[in-house]
Amino acid sequence: MADSGASTVLVTGAGGRTGELVYKKLKERSDQYVARGLVRTEESKQIIGGADDLYVGDIRDADSILPAIQGIDALIILTSAVPKMKPGFDPTKGGRPEFYFEDGSYPEQVDWIGQKNQIDAAKAAGVKQIVLVGSMGGTDLNNPLNKLGNGNILVWKRKAEQYLADSGIPYTIIRAGGLQDKEGGIRELLIGKDDELLKTETRTIARPDVAEVCIQALQFEEAKFKAFDLASKPEGTGTPTKDFKALFSQITTRY
């Protein structure tokens, strides 16, 4: 059993690639954290282990997520609308694939309403901190991500981020660069603001590094009431980031 000093932390979107990493990292640190995960389906729950600390709920239905949120100390939000590729795309013919969102799963419903539901429930439950993972690119309405499926995904993500920043709850907003399925802990992490990193060659980040920053953000006052862009130098350049207090201390932006 975890000792009484352990914080109970819920990861929503725990069935996603980055969310599952956060959930598993929390489980590995059982001396510090009591992990919970929220997934959308029973199938997702079984895929990532089927443990009793995995809850099934739909963030678009506020009541369905209350059991997972009751009694937690912190919330890490990793839910996101996911565009699907229209069938019939042939990469050999050139051109670009077309994307769509399934009915009920548009960014407005998932990234705005769904995240608002989580923030409201967490506030009502007295949660001490919310870590929200978003995406770089939100300062540019013409960002290509907004065009996917006509979903304006970054617009709705920013709306949820602003709602969190205005909520009064201590928050950390991480706007991650392009997510890569690579090993974590071996690169120098870069902090940015206002999408400045998108104009450089260093605008990607390994998923395990995002997961680590989520958890480290729970440990330092320097991470609270902060919003920042996150990327990394290429492997083999710079010094792998180990001092997260110093990393968070670099951040000057509240939104």
Side-chain angles (χ1 to χ4, degrees):
M1 289 294 291
D3 64 61
S4 58
S7 296
T8 300
V9 182
L10 172 66
V11 183
T12 61
R17 284 181 288 176
T18 310
E20 183 180 354
L21 289 171
V22 178
Y23 169 71
K24 289 184 171 173
K25 278 177 177 280
L26 288 168
K27 299 266 283 188
E28 290 165 3
R29 299 172 202 188
S30 55
D31 55 327
Q32 288 178 280
Y33 302 107
V34 178
R36 288 187 191 176
L38 179 76
V39 296
R40 200 171 49 180
T41 64
E42 189 65 39
E43 181 186 19
S44 289
K45 175 176 176 174
Q46 297 309 321
I47 287 171
I48 59 174
D52 291 342
D53 56 28
L54 286 168
Y55 293 72
V56 178
D58 186 337
I59 60 169
R60 298 166 300 179
D61 172 6
D63 289 341
S64 78
I65 63 175
L66 293 179
I69 286 177
Q70 291 309 311
I72 63 172
D73 297 297
L75 170 64
I76 302 177
I77 299 177
L78 271 150
T79 51
S80 178
V82 179
K84 302 208 165 184
M85 191 187 297
K86 287 185 178 177
F89 173 65
D90 183 350
T92 62
K93 293 181 178 172
R96 292 185 176 177
E98 290 186 48
F99 291 88
Y100 70 100
F101 292 96
E102 292 182 332
D103 282 348
S105 297
Y106 273 82
E108 181 179 1
Q109 292 148 317
V110 177
D111 294 273
W112 165 233
I113 302 297
Q115 292 192 357
K116 181 179 181 293
N117 285 343
Q118 295 176 69
I119 294 162
D120 289 343
K123 187 171 185 175
V127 163
K128 301 183 187 79
Q129 185 178 358
I130 297 178
V131 177
L132 171 62
V133 177
S135 174
M136 285 200 285
T139 62
D140 177 14
L141 281 175
N142 294 314
N143 187 290
L145 290 178
N146 282 328
K147 296 183 172 62
L148 291 181
N150 292 320
N152 279 322
I153 190 165
L154 296 179
V155 175
W156 295 111
K157 283 183 184 291
R158 292 289 281 215
K159 191 173 172 73
E161 290 168 10
Q162 185 69 63
Y163 188 79
L164 174 57
D166 292 340
S167 70
I169 304 168
Y171 64 86
T172 309
I173 297 168
I174 302 166
R175 299 182 181 121
L179 296 169
Q180 297 186 316
D181 294 308
K182 293 183 174 179
E183 183 184 349
I186 58 174
R187 293 172 190 82
E188 182 174 329
L189 303 185
L190 299 170
I191 296 290
K193 66 182 193 314
D194 299 330
D195 294 330
E196 292 166 349
L197 289 170
L198 286 179
K199 301 178 179 75
T200 71
E201 296 300 307
T202 48
R203 50 182 185 262
T204 60
I205 181 133
R207 288 182 192 274
D209 286 334
V210 176
E212 187 63 36
V213 171
C214 287
I215 296 171
Q216 293 288 342
L218 302 176
Q219 299 180 28
F220 297 103
E221 287 297 316
E222 289 81 1
K224 290 181 178 174
F225 300 104
K226 299 276 182 78
F228 57 96
D229 299 341
L230 182 67
S232 70
K233 291 185 178 178
E235 185 182 340
T237 63
T239 308
T241 298
K242 304 293 182 202
D243 185 343
F244 288 90
K245 181 172 182 172
L247 185 78
F248 295 130
S249 296
Q250 296 174 34
I251 305 162
T252 57
T253 41
R254 293 174 65 90
Y255 178 74

